[in-house]
Amino acid sequence: MASLQDIQRRISSTKQTRQITSAMQMVSTAKLSQIQRSGTGYHSYASRLEVVVEHLVSAHLLDNIDAKHIPLIGQRPIKKTGILVITSDRGLVGSYNANVIKQTNALMKKENLNPDNAVILAVGGNGADFYKKRGFNVVLEHRGVSDVPTFNEVRQVLKTTISLYDSEVFDALHVVYNHFVNRLTSEYRDVQLLPLTAETLEKMGGEHKDEHKANFEVQSVYDIEPDSTAVLNVVLPQFVQSLVYEAVLDAKTAEHAASSTAMRSATDSADDLIHDLGLQFNRARQAQITTEITEITGGMVALE
């Protein structure tokens, strides 16, 4: 049985741990609120851009375009598939990283992807380290994403991604990440981003497509100046960059929520442990007092 001093030491160290986890929970909650406020304006812009692209598709602007002049819509044999994996740089986020990696591995198994026919683009250290150890070619690695990432911060990732696709380092691109649902829940998402086709563009309107259209109507017949190819060469890269940046924002929001939940669970566990150790201490102290009284009583009887 542990001594009273050992139990007191454990209670003291557990209280210190609880203070740390409680503080980390408050910090993560504050970061979550900050990124939700910060991302509201960009989500509005991204929604409007999605609607514009949907209307361009409905106007059949992509039907007669020569793919040679717009690489993002070019259809070519898929020799290598790129997977953009968005994870965190650190731990203490519960099952956040494990869920992304587990579901991504399931996607690879389903699509028969392996180090020979797939490359990894990693935003976040956990994903980069995991796939490096398993022999995958990590062609892009970006660590140190800030708590509230800005577009300028992620701009180089976006440019490099499109450049790698244009250079045929990969012929198709999946973006995989945790989507923020609420403070307690996130869900895995897999978006096949490249190449862009009329079918995939129609699917990228998102779950609020009807709401977006109701709030932002765009005509479906266009007068194009100078020509449709020039317009699409401007709009489509912006659209791809918008989707990737929005995925980074979404994933970072889910990361803060996961961190807050994990730290709250750790704090609750520390409280339970402190309570149990307190009961154990009281029982041990009671047993010690009983033993001391018995010894004193026995000594008095012996003296008589």
Side-chain angles (χ1 to χ4, degrees):
M1 184 176 180
S3 66
L4 292 176
Q5 187 176 8
D6 290 336
I7 297 174
Q8 284 180 316
R9 189 180 298 113
R10 288 191 63 191
I11 291 174
S12 177
S13 64
T14 304
K15 285 182 177 179
Q16 292 175 354
T17 301
R18 181 183 62 181
Q19 289 179 337
I20 295 172
T21 56
S22 179
M24 292 178 69
Q25 178 193 345
M26 289 188 290
V27 170
S28 295
T29 302
K31 290 177 180 178
L32 175 60
S33 299
Q34 184 181 4
I35 196 172
Q36 285 181 302
R37 291 194 302 270
S38 176
T40 301
Y42 187 82
H43 291 318
S44 177
Y45 161 78
S47 298
R48 289 171 179 258
L49 183 57
E50 287 174 3
V51 173
V52 169
V53 172
E54 288 168 24
H55 277 265
L56 292 176
V57 173
S58 66
H60 304 288
L61 260 65
L62 274 68
D63 293 354
N64 300 315
I65 295 295
D66 188 350
K68 293 181 180 179
H69 301 299
I70 306 178
L72 294 181
I73 66 173
Q75 299 291 316
R76 59 184 188 241
I78 300 178
K79 300 175 183 177
K80 282 188 180 291
T81 299
I83 301 180
L84 177 57
V85 184
I86 305 175
T87 59
S88 71
D89 288 312
R90 59 185 180 84
L92 303 177
V93 288
S95 60
Y96 174 83
N97 293 311
N99 181 56
V100 174
I101 291 173
K102 177 182 177 182
Q103 297 288 353
T104 302
N105 289 341
L107 169 67
M108 289 183 177
K109 184 177 180 180
K110 177 183 176 182
E111 301 291 336
N112 296 317
L113 300 178
N114 54 61
D116 295 327
N117 61 5
V119 296
I120 300 296
L121 299 85
V123 175
N126 274 273
D129 294 339
F130 180 87
Y131 287 106
K132 276 183 179 179
K133 291 178 181 178
R134 283 151 184 82
F136 282 87
N137 181 17
V138 180
V139 296
L140 184 152
E141 181 178 345
H142 183 75
R143 298 172 185 258
V145 177
S146 64
D147 294 326
V148 183
T150 63
F151 184 83
N152 286 335
E153 179 184 349
V154 187
R155 185 189 298 273
Q156 190 56 48
V157 174
L158 306 175
K159 288 183 177 180
T160 303
T161 299
I162 293 178
S163 175
L164 290 171
Y165 179 76
D166 291 342
S167 303
E168 300 188 10
V169 174
F170 52 86
D171 306 296
L173 178 66
H174 290 258
V175 181
V176 295
Y177 62 99
N178 269 334
H179 163 64
F180 174 78
V181 178
N182 55 50
R183 291 175 181 262
L184 298 177
T185 307
S186 64
E187 62 183 25
Y188 175 80
R189 279 199 174 174
D190 162 30
V191 179
Q192 185 171 349
L193 186 57
L194 296 173
L196 293 173
T197 65
E199 181 181 355
T200 58
L201 287 171
E202 287 175 354
K203 292 180 179 179
M204 287 178 186
E207 57 186 2
H208 302 299
K209 181 194 296 186
D210 294 335
E211 177 184 342
H212 295 160
K213 286 186 176 180
N215 295 331
F216 184 63
E217 291 296 339
V218 182
Q219 66 183 39
S220 59
V221 178
Y222 295 89
D223 294 324
I224 302 297
E225 178 68 32
D227 56 60
S228 57
T229 299
V231 170
L232 291 174
N233 266 324
V234 173
V235 173
L236 293 183
Q238 288 186 8
F239 179 62
V240 171
Q241 292 178 5
S242 169
L243 289 175
V244 174
Y245 176 59
E246 194 170 24
V248 173
L249 274 179
D250 198 359
K252 201 68 180 179
T253 305
E255 178 189 335
H256 292 323
S259 177
S260 176
T261 301
M263 291 302 98
R264 184 182 61 195
S265 297
T267 302
D268 292 342
S269 296
D271 286 334
D272 292 340
L273 181 56
I274 291 169
H275 177 265
D276 293 341
L277 288 172
L279 292 178
Q280 186 178 346
F281 177 83
N282 291 336
R283 292 192 187 102
R285 179 59 178 157
Q286 185 178 13
Q288 184 183 54
I289 293 173
T290 301
T291 301
E292 291 173 355
I293 293 175
T294 302
E295 290 174 351
I296 293 172
T297 303
M300 292 177 61
V301 171
L303 289 174
E304 292 177 356

